Amino acid sequence: DAGITQSPRYKITETGRQVTLMCHQTWSHSYMFWYRQDLGHGLRLIYYSAAADITDKGEVPDGYVVSRSKTENFPLTLESATRSQTSVYFCASREFYEQYFGPGTRLTVT
Amino acid sequence: TQLLEQSPQFLSIQEGENLTVYCNSSSVFSSLQWYRQEPGEGPVLLVTVVTGGEVKKLKRLTFQFGDARKDSSLHITAAQPGDTGLYLCAVLSGNQFYFGTGTSLTVIP
């Protein structure tokens, strides 16, 4: 089915470990986004990408790395996970004024 | 400073009641989107409004964009338990979307 998929859906990791969250879209939308959602903060933009090989920082980029070698994939890497990165992570793509979200990855850092 | 302020933050009502939630800003936008998010899922786009004063209806949901394009409201008629969720407004500014913190709605059967 067309849409955005994220994997894994749930992840528990230890402080200091590297973690990569995957995002795949089937629409070929140019723009893709990574958000984290925390109680009291709503959705905050981590990074976004306007096209393959073009990425830019959002509101909360520290501790995260992204890449986009292909239009359909936009992985998010936590280089050395910290407890403050425990959150729900959403990937999204954009068409004109509208965004379409994946189902999210719930990440717990112990 | 939050670009978009949503109110109320929480709302709990009985099935069949009407309600209105608000999304306000001091800035002018070319468009505004409303999303609904159910527990454990990603936000789902409900509507985009682009013209000042515009009113859009989606079944029992009525969306209005303010004349000055700084604010918006969502009115639900005869709320049902299936309307339960987090309602988020969002705007596109530059290449980024900005979200309000949302209104958490609970409709009690």
Side-chain angles (χ1 to χ4, degrees):
Chain A
D1 290 338
I4 294 185
T5 56
Q6 292 184 237
S7 62
R9 291 295 312 278
Y10 302 90
K11 177 73 176 179
I12 300 174
T13 192
E14 295 177 341
T15 300
R17 290 194 179 265
Q18 179 174 290
V19 177
T20 296
L21 309 184
M22 304 301 294
C23 177
H24 175 80
Q25 58 131 339
T26 59
W27 290 305
S28 298
H29 291 162
S30 295
Y31 279 86
M32 295 186 75
F33 305 81
W34 274 106
Y35 295 90
R36 58 179 291 173
Q37 188 174 36
D38 306 286
L39 282 175
H41 291 283
L43 281 161
R44 293 184 290 175
L45 182 65
I46 305 170
Y47 270 96
Y48 68 98
S49 169
D53 297 322
I54 300 175
T55 62
D56 208 347
K57 297 178 179 180
E59 180 184 355
V60 289
D62 293 344
Y64 303 95
V65 174
V66 293
S67 62
R68 195 162 175 212
S69 58
K70 293 183 178 181
T71 300
E72 61 266 29
N73 296 323
F74 191 36
L76 175 73
T77 297
L78 288 66
E79 293 186 298
S80 179
T82 65
R83 289 195 181 90
S84 66
Q85 292 177 310
T86 291
S87 186
V88 181
Y89 291 85
F90 289 100
C91 178
S93 68
R94 169 192 162 190
E95 183 178 38
F96 302 113
Y97 297 125
E98 302 169 353
Q99 281 199 244
Y100 301 90
F101 285 82
T105 294
R106 183 174 293 275
L107 176 67
T108 301
V109 183
T110 62
Chain B
T1 302
Q2 193 74 21
L3 184 63
L4 297 172
E5 297 287 343
Q6 290 191 244
S7 62
Q9 190 174 357
F10 299 97
L11 188 57
S12 181
I13 62 171
Q14 295 290 330
E15 182 176 359
E17 294 183 350
N18 301 331
L19 67 114
T20 303
V21 299
Y22 301 92
C23 176
N24 296 300
S25 177
S26 57
S27 301
V28 177
F29 301 105
S30 58
S31 69
L32 185 144
Q33 298 84 43
W34 283 95
Y35 295 80
R36 178 169 63 212
Q37 184 179 18
E38 298 186 16
E41 299 182 8
V44 175
L45 179 68
L46 294 174
V47 77
T48 299
V49 286
V50 298
T51 306
E54 180 178 4
V55 176
K56 280 192 173 179
K57 293 192 175 183
L58 185 64
K59 297 183 179 178
R60 295 176 292 101
L61 278 60
T62 302
F63 305 85
Q64 185 162 8
F65 201 13
D67 291 340
R69 291 184 286 126
K70 292 182 178 181
D71 52 74
S72 182
S73 63
L74 159 59
H75 181 80
I76 301 179
T77 303
Q80 299 179 0
D83 295 326
T84 293
L86 179 67
Y87 288 82
L88 296 159
C89 62
V91 293
L92 178 62
S93 180
N95 290 323
Q96 299 186 27
F97 286 88
Y98 294 88
F99 285 81
T101 51
T103 293
S104 181
L105 171 66
T106 301
V107 181
I108 303 166

